[in-house]
């Protein structure tokens, strides 16, 4: 089976930034994205400086995209960081994956 | 800590193909799977040719399995591609992970 | 773009162990975590020995954390394995990811 390397970029953040992250992804050239709602807590990006002694879980969303171009992945990462890392409201990670159809991403 | 390499295979697609994907995974020898409902949009596999100027998010599901055998991972990938890539209804990626109990997968 | 290597650890398990897993993550030094509810089936950790011929999907949760220290990742993995692998109620995998701010994890 022949596979091709692509980059998966995932952002876990409060839901209010979802539209902004998606816009960055689309403008950078991602052909699509998906998102999954969940919860999270702690210094994982969610209000760590205002953390009370007992913290409620925050409603979060994981937004992810797969792009075949490393340059596109980096553009997304840099723009998300510039737009949303100041208020500590996002966790982001990248890793390589294998895909079968590179022209799709 | 001793770890072993396994392959994680993830398929993000419209929910209507979930049962078919799961059947392929089980017949290939995956010992289990998990799935997570979410949303998605764009050419990420979802009706790109009929995309209107304003697109609603589609309800999607991510189905994933971890298998210790690369051959099993490739069988799943090839069969999912053969069954569901024709209508652009699936995104699929694979990557290596570390697990503690290879006999479990 | 400069990135740093971190470890993503994911546990997919029945929801009843979520609080215990989170406690292990926090005590090991993870600065945060996130979780996503879903479903799963089969020997993927869910009651394989009592599997009837037709199995209902189980409600599960994926709990994940990103840590910059490999030692912290291993401590989490070993403690989750010690606490929850005996009853086959958890699937766990680790893999490396790239992050932009290592001091955050």
């Amino acid at each position: 089976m022949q596979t091709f390397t692509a980059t998966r970029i995932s952002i876990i953040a409060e839901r209010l930034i979802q539209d902004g992250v998606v816009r960055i992804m689309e403008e950078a050239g991602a052909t699509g994205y998906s998102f999954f709602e969940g919860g999270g807590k702690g210094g994982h990006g969610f209000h760590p400086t205002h953390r009370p002694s007992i913290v409620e879980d925050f409603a979060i969303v994981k937004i992810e995209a797969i792009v075949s171009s490393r340059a596109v992945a980096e553009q997304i990462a840099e723009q998300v960081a510039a737009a949303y890392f100041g208020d500590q409201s996002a966790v982001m990670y990248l890793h390589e994956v294998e895909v079968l159809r590179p022209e799709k991403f």
Side-chain angles (χ1 to χ4, degrees), chain A:
Chain A
M1 186 178 73
Q2 186 180 15
T3 63
F4 303 85
T5 299
T7 302
R8 178 184 173 220
I9 180 164
S10 299
I11 293 115
I12 301 175
E14 293 175 86
R15 291 178 196 173
L16 58 88
I17 75 164
Q18 179 173 336
D19 288 350
V21 169
V22 163
R23 199 174 310 120
I24 288 170
M25 288 177 165
E26 292 188 325
E27 289 177 1
T31 59
Y33 61 86
S34 54
F35 55 86
F36 302 90
E37 298 186 347
K41 197 168 81 170
H44 211 175
F46 311 111
H47 308 300
T49 58
H50 301 94
R51 189 178 183 183
S53 56
I54 296 179
V55 186
E56 291 298 312
D57 285 336
F58 288 95
I60 57 160
V61 66
K62 179 195 285 189
I63 310 154
E64 60 177 72
I66 295 175
V67 294
S68 54
S69 158
R70 175 74 190 185
V72 170
E74 295 203 358
Q75 182 179 334
I76 293 170
E78 287 170 347
Q79 293 189 352
V80 168
Y84 301 114
F85 275 13
D87 60 0
Q88 302 288 317
S89 62
V91 166
M92 181 167 57
Y93 60 88
L94 295 85
H95 67 99
E96 291 192 346
V97 296
E98 297 172 71
V99 299
L100 269 65
R101 297 176 297 175
E103 72 282 3
K104 185 177 170 62
F105 303 97

